[in-house]
Amino acid sequence: MTTPGEREQRMGLFERVRAVPYATDGAHTAAGLFPVGRGDCLAKSAYLVDGFRALGCPARRVRWLYHLPDQPAEVALLRSREDVHSAAEVLIDGRWTLVDACHDPALAAAGLTVAWWDGSAVGTAAAYSPLGPLWRPGGGPEPVPNGGVTVPDPAGPRYRAAFNAWLREVRG
């Protein structure tokens, strides 16, 4: 059984990672998350997995396909809104528990899902609704947007710049 101290440690890790501003033009690795001061779901989930393991908790990365949010308007320029999200699962009291610290609290004002967690075996909400099953290590090939068809999207850089500008604007 989990002790209150263990729950507090897990919750503290989650809150530290969630507080880092979400941005796709920030860190993409656990090592870069705090030095850069902002990061994407890859960096945040990797930091959580490393942090849970440092606390003695088995943890793993999970991924799934989702649709990009409706904002900013430049999302309409993309060939497809399908993308891959990454989060963490931690083993608590014999149960794999989803922990998604992707969106920092300020982003709730834009309607993005901001997760809250008390460190228990009841997991967080997912930042983005899965379009299908969650991928877990050993579960076959990782999800790839658009059925693996990788045609460069000329609108991609414009969308990414607009998305990160929109995130900054939402934070005020």
Side-chain angles (χ1 to χ4, degrees):
M1 281 308 279
T2 297
T3 68
E6 291 168 331
R7 282 178 64 171
E8 287 175 14
Q9 286 181 317
R10 290 191 300 258
M11 185 173 64
L13 171 64
F14 166 77
E15 289 177 346
R16 283 191 307 277
V17 173
R18 186 190 59 188
V20 175
Y22 170 68
T24 61
D25 63 355
H28 305 297
T29 65
L33 184 62
F34 283 93
V36 173
R38 65 186 189 286
D40 63 9
C41 64
L42 295 170
K44 288 184 158 209
S45 62
Y47 196 95
L48 282 174
V49 168
D50 291 350
F52 288 135
R53 289 176 178 166
L55 293 173
C57 303
R60 63 189 180 191
R61 178 181 64 143
V62 294
R63 301 185 81 191
W64 62 85
L65 294 172
Y66 76 100
H67 281 142
L68 295 168
D70 293 335
Q71 293 294 325
E74 286 82 357
V75 73
L77 302 174
L78 296 173
R79 289 185 180 145
S80 169
R81 290 181 44 206
E82 195 169 275
D83 203 356
V84 179
H85 181 61
S86 183
E89 282 186 330
V90 60
L91 189 63
I92 300 172
D93 297 333
R95 178 177 168 207
W96 285 104
T97 303
L98 179 69
V99 181
D100 193 339
C102 182
H103 297 141
D104 52 284
L107 298 181
L112 295 177
T113 300
V114 175
W116 302 93
W117 190 47
D118 66 359
S120 72
V122 176
T124 70
Y128 298 107
S129 297
L131 296 178
L134 273 60
W135 173 88
R136 294 173 173 92
E142 292 192 40
V144 179
N146 308 310
V149 176
T150 56
V151 177
D153 191 335
R158 181 174 170 191
Y159 163 75
R160 282 188 295 280
F163 181 67
N164 288 296
W166 176 72
L167 292 172
R168 288 188 297 275
E169 181 181 312
V170 167
R171 291 187 190 98

